[in-house]
């Protein structure tokens, strides 16, 4: 039975999800409702036809997983409610076409940020949410919601001050990488990843890639002392096999779904649409202005370009790309290769830098061979180097400051210690990297494919890795 002021959301992944009053206040805001119009995986639905779920459903699901963690770890209010709110708001900063906005528009706004949506999230939480909550609801309702949601500890004589305090605490958690609460949200087994793998695999029709036992990760999680007086998130040595299963599930989702060659063709086209429309549609300015940002979503941008555009250069190109997507006339693969860079190559270039260099070399060689043999200009080629997929549990856990709790010795240990002591060898593959070359259509692909095969038979281009 739902408590006073709460509602039950029915979810295909987790069943009934309880939502508390202050969370409902936030969910009712336009800045949150826009997540209904941001697909979780914008390109995947063109290959896996039922993958039309959104960031809205995922945010509700992540909130539910955070509640499961809080109950198992005996986290009580107000900290429990802060954790739930962090999960609810963790994707609030995503832009049009999700991660494609990060590498285009957000790259202009936050050039130093790896994930611009995380930076924008902080701006929304700290600056915008307090303002619009107070403008949307009367103070008495907000005060009541805060009390009923377990946040009464933060109430002062000023509701404005109370809400700003709560939002600052949420932002602090989401910025505290390596800390326990951060890892419960964004860690390798945090509620974000746990929900999106389950949800994306379900809606993509690949449920077998979401087969890891979520309940065991929750049940065998604990908060321990690291021996230096610091709290650390641990997972029991009893679930070592489950950890491997989750990493394999994640790997298969990236390899077969997110990085599917046709999905990535769509991603390239969506990136180009954003680049073509960025200046004529003032996307940078409209993103910085949060009142304008809440009007931007996947649907609105398509509509704006299709029906409101003027017949000008860049916007006309964006219009052509959308028209091609709607006809499912997508870019075609010419070269599709996986590569495992050596440690020397990673040290000098980084994995992604090395892959881009290799792809540029392949592109140049293909262009040169085609123009030499055909005596004509080479068709357009586009490079795609999806980001690195980490496969080694040690890489994942060390980066996140998460330990394995040895159930025999009753102490936290690093993953590699457990691995050595038990002769428990995991995956040898440290990362998985793909690079591809695309061209505009089947016609261009047919022109290029024989030359591409010839290029790929050659010895790999030599790239200097000396430091």
């Amino acid at each position: 039975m739902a408590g006073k002021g709460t509602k039950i959301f029915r979810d295909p992944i987790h069943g009934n999800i309880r939502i508390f009053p202050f969370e409902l206040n936030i969910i009712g805001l336009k800045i949150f409702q826009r997540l209904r119009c941001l697909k979780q995986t914008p390109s995947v639905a063109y290959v896996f036809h039922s993958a039309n779920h959104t960031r809205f459903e995922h945010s509700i699901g992540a909130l539910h997983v955070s509640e499961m963690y809080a109950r198992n770890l005996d986290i009580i209010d107000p900290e429990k409610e802060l954790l739930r709110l962090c999960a609810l708001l963790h994707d609030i900063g995503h832009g049009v076409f999700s991660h494609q906005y990060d590498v285009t528009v957000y790259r202009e706004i936050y050039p130093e940020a790896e994930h611009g949506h995380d930076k924008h999230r902080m701006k929304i939480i700290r600056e915008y949410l307090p303002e619009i909550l107070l403008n949307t609801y009367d103070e008495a309702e907000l005060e009541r919601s805060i009390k009923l949601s377990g946040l009464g500890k933060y109430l002062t004589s000023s509701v404005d001050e109370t809400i700003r305090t709560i939002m600052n605490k949420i932002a602090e958690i989401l910025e505290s990488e390596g800390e326990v609460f951060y890892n419960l949200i964004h860690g390798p087994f945090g509620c974000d990843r746990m929900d999106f793998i389950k949800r994306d695999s379900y809606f993509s029709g690949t449920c077998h890639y979401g087969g890891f036992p979520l309940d065991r990760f929750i049940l065998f999680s604990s908060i321990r002392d690291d021996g230096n007086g610091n709290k650390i998130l641990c997972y029991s040595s009893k679930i070592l096999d489950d950890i491997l299963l989750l990493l394999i599930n994640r790997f298969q989702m990236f390899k077969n779904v997110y990085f599917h060659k046709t999905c990535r063709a769509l991603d390239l086209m969506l990136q180009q649409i954003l680049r073509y429309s960025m200046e004529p549609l003032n996307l940078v300015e409209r993103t910085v202005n949060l009142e304008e940002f809440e009007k931007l979503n996947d649907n609105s941008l398509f509509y704006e370009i299709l029906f409101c555009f003027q017949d000008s250069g860049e916007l006309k190109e964006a219009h052509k790309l959308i028209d091609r997507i709607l006809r499912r006339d997508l870019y075609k693969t010419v070269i599709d290769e996986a590569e495992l860079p050596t440690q020397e190559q990673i040290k000098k270039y980084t994995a992604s830098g090395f892959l881009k260099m290799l792809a540029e070399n392949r592109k140049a060689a293909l262009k040169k061979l085609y123009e030499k043999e055909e005596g004509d200009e080479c068709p357009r080629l586009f490079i795609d180097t999806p980001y690195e997929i980490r496969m080694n549990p040690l890489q994942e856990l060390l980066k996140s400051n998460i330990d394995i709790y040895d159930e025999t010795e009753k102490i936290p240990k690093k993953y590699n210690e457990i691995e050595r002591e038990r002769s428990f060898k995991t995956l040898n593959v440290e990362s998985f990297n793909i690079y591809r070359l695309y061209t505009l259509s089947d016609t261009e692909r047919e022109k290029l494919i024989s030359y591409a095969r010839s290029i790929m038979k050659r010895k790999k281009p030599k790239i200097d890795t000396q430091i």
Side-chain angles (χ1 to χ4, degrees):
M1 181 177 176
K4 187 177 181 181
T6 67
K7 289 189 181 295
I8 299 296
F9 285 26
R10 299 171 72 177
D11 185 75
I13 308 301
H14 304 297
N16 293 321
I17 299 177
R18 183 175 300 192
I19 308 294
F20 295 125
F22 190 58
E23 296 159 0
L24 290 169
N25 291 143
I26 292 171
I27 289 169
L29 298 172
K30 190 174 180 181
I31 191 72
F32 194 90
Q33 288 292 314
R34 69 182 287 276
L35 297 179
R36 291 183 186 273
C37 298
L38 292 182
K39 285 186 181 178
Q40 176 76 6
T41 52
S43 62
V44 171
Y46 289 87
V47 181
F48 302 88
H49 64 272
S50 59
N52 286 300
H53 56 301
T54 68
R55 296 261 164 207
F56 183 93
E57 294 107 284
H58 166 58
S59 298
I60 301 297
L63 177 148
H64 178 71
V65 179
S66 74
E67 171 70 20
M68 294 169 69
Y69 266 123
R71 289 186 180 186
N72 182 68
L73 297 170
D74 295 323
I75 300 170
I76 61 173
D77 288 330
E79 286 75 20
K80 183 180 84 166
E81 183 57 21
L82 288 176
L83 183 67
R84 286 170 58 95
L85 289 169
C86 286
L88 183 68
L89 293 169
H90 80 279
D91 269 353
I92 194 74
H94 266 294
V96 178
F97 311 140
S98 292
H99 290 287
Q100 310 320 317
Y101 215 70
D102 284 331
V103 297
T104 52
V105 180
Y106 278 144
R107 190 65 51 82
E108 296 295 316
I109 301 170
Y110 308 110
E112 303 302 317
E114 183 180 0
H115 303 294
H117 69 270
D118 287 341
K119 295 284 287 186
H120 211 56
R121 171 180 70 186
M122 294 302 119
K123 182 180 174 72
I124 292 169
I125 291 171
R126 282 199 168 104
E127 299 174 20
Y128 197 54
L129 283 181
E131 177 187 331
I132 56 173
L133 280 166
L134 288 161
N135 289 339
T136 305
Y137 306 101
D138 62 54
E139 291 195 0
E141 180 181 352
L142 288 170
E143 184 174 340
R144 174 180 171 275
S145 294
I146 289 166
K147 284 179 182 176
L148 289 174
S149 300
L151 296 168
K153 175 183 175 180
Y154 301 120
L155 271 172
T156 67
S157 57
S158 166
V159 176
D160 184 337
E161 181 185 325
T162 299
I163 290 174
R164 291 186 188 281
T165 297
I166 292 168
M167 292 303 156
N168 280 329
K169 287 186 177 296
I170 293 168
E172 286 166 10
I173 291 170
L174 291 172
E175 289 176 326
S176 59
E177 189 168 353
E179 299 295 324
V180 170
F181 272 31
Y182 180 93
N183 281 331
L184 289 173
I185 303 295
H186 284 307
F189 317 129
C191 56
D192 176 24
R193 182 177 294 186
M194 293 297 206
D195 183 80
F196 83 65
I197 295 177
K198 286 283 186 190
R199 192 170 301 276
D200 294 355
S201 62
Y202 176 87
F203 283 104
S204 300
T206 57
C207 294
H208 45 295
Y209 296 150
F212 67 92
L214 171 59
D215 56 341
R216 281 179 63 81
F217 279 88
I218 303 296
L219 181 63
F220 289 103
S221 63
S222 60
I223 299 173
R224 307 278 178 176
D225 192 294
D226 68 353
N228 298 312
N230 302 311
K231 297 297 182 184
I232 188 169
L233 181 62
C234 293
Y235 292 87
S236 169
S237 55
K238 291 181 179 180
I239 64 165
L240 290 173
D241 287 331
D242 301 308
I243 289 173
L244 287 180
L245 178 60
L246 172 60
L247 289 174
I248 292 168
N249 284 166
R250 176 174 174 259
F251 170 78
Q252 295 293 357
M253 280 298 292
F254 274 92
K255 181 175 180 289
N256 295 288
V257 179
Y258 308 132
F259 290 172
H260 186 287
K261 62 182 181 181
T262 308
C263 294
R264 290 299 297 180
L266 257 297
D267 286 337
L268 277 177
M269 296 172 81
L270 293 174
Q271 288 174 29
Q272 290 172 350
I273 288 168
L274 288 168
R275 289 192 178 100
Y276 282 134
S277 58
M278 194 184 313
E279 188 173 332
L281 295 183
N282 300 314
L283 292 184
V284 169
E285 293 82 358
R286 290 165 69 186
T287 301
V288 172
N289 182 331
L290 295 177
E291 287 186 18
E292 290 298 314
F293 177 72
E294 69 178 13
K295 300 172 188 174
L296 287 170
N297 58 60
D298 297 354
N299 301 334
S300 70
L301 188 70
F302 261 36
Y303 180 87
E304 198 169 342
I305 294 170
L306 283 174
F307 301 110
C308 305
F309 86 104
Q310 297 180 356
D311 195 12
S312 61
E314 289 191 320
L315 218 50
K316 190 173 183 179
E317 293 302 314
H319 187 284
K320 288 178 184 177
L321 284 168
I322 292 177
D323 183 64
R324 288 188 61 168
I325 289 172
L326 295 177
R327 291 184 286 110
R328 208 177 181 279
D329 176 18
L330 310 176
Y331 292 168
K332 304 302 178 184
T333 315
V334 179
I335 291 177
D336 183 357
E337 284 289 304
E339 184 74 18
L340 184 61
T342 65
Q343 286 302 313
E344 290 79 10
Q345 290 163 343
I346 292 172
K347 190 174 181 181
K348 182 166 185 180
Y349 299 106
T350 73
S352 61
F354 174 77
L355 263 290
K356 286 175 183 173
M357 191 178 300
L358 185 59
E360 288 287 358
N361 285 341
R362 293 295 196 200
K363 178 181 176 181
L366 177 55
K367 185 173 183 292
K368 182 178 179 180
L369 179 61
Y370 180 90
E371 292 179 350
K372 176 185 175 184
E373 297 297 326
E374 297 291 331
D376 196 6
E377 185 178 1
C378 181
R380 290 182 68 188
L381 292 166
F382 307 101
I383 289 175
D384 178 45
T385 54
Y387 55 83
E388 177 185 25
I389 313 171
R390 292 188 170 187
M391 288 288 291
N392 189 304
L394 182 60
Q395 287 178 302
E396 289 282 297
L397 298 177
L398 285 182
K399 180 185 177 186
S400 304
N401 194 31
I402 290 175
D403 280 1
I404 301 297
Y405 184 71
D406 190 321
E407 295 286 357
T408 303
E409 299 184 25
K410 306 298 182 187
I411 55 172
K413 292 183 177 179
K414 298 302 178 189
Y415 191 93
N416 56 338
E417 294 178 70
I418 296 279
E419 190 179 63
R420 269 198 313 271
E421 291 169 6
R422 303 190 179 196
S423 299
F424 181 79
K425 194 60 187 171
T426 60
L427 304 171
N428 289 320
V429 181
E430 293 190 351
S431 64
F432 182 77
N433 304 271
I434 300 169
Y435 71 92
R436 295 187 177 111
L437 291 185
Y438 289 90
T439 193
L440 289 170
S441 67
D442 280 322
T443 303
E444 278 77 10
R445 182 181 184 277
E446 288 305 311
K447 292 178 183 177
L448 290 162
I449 195 66
S450 61
Y451 299 112
R453 287 172 181 156
S454 175
I455 291 292
M456 297 310 294
K457 286 177 184 176
R458 297 179 183 177
K459 187 177 178 181
K460 288 182 180 177
K462 186 174 181 180
I463 297 175
D464 174 38
T465 56
Q466 297 300 310
I467 303 299

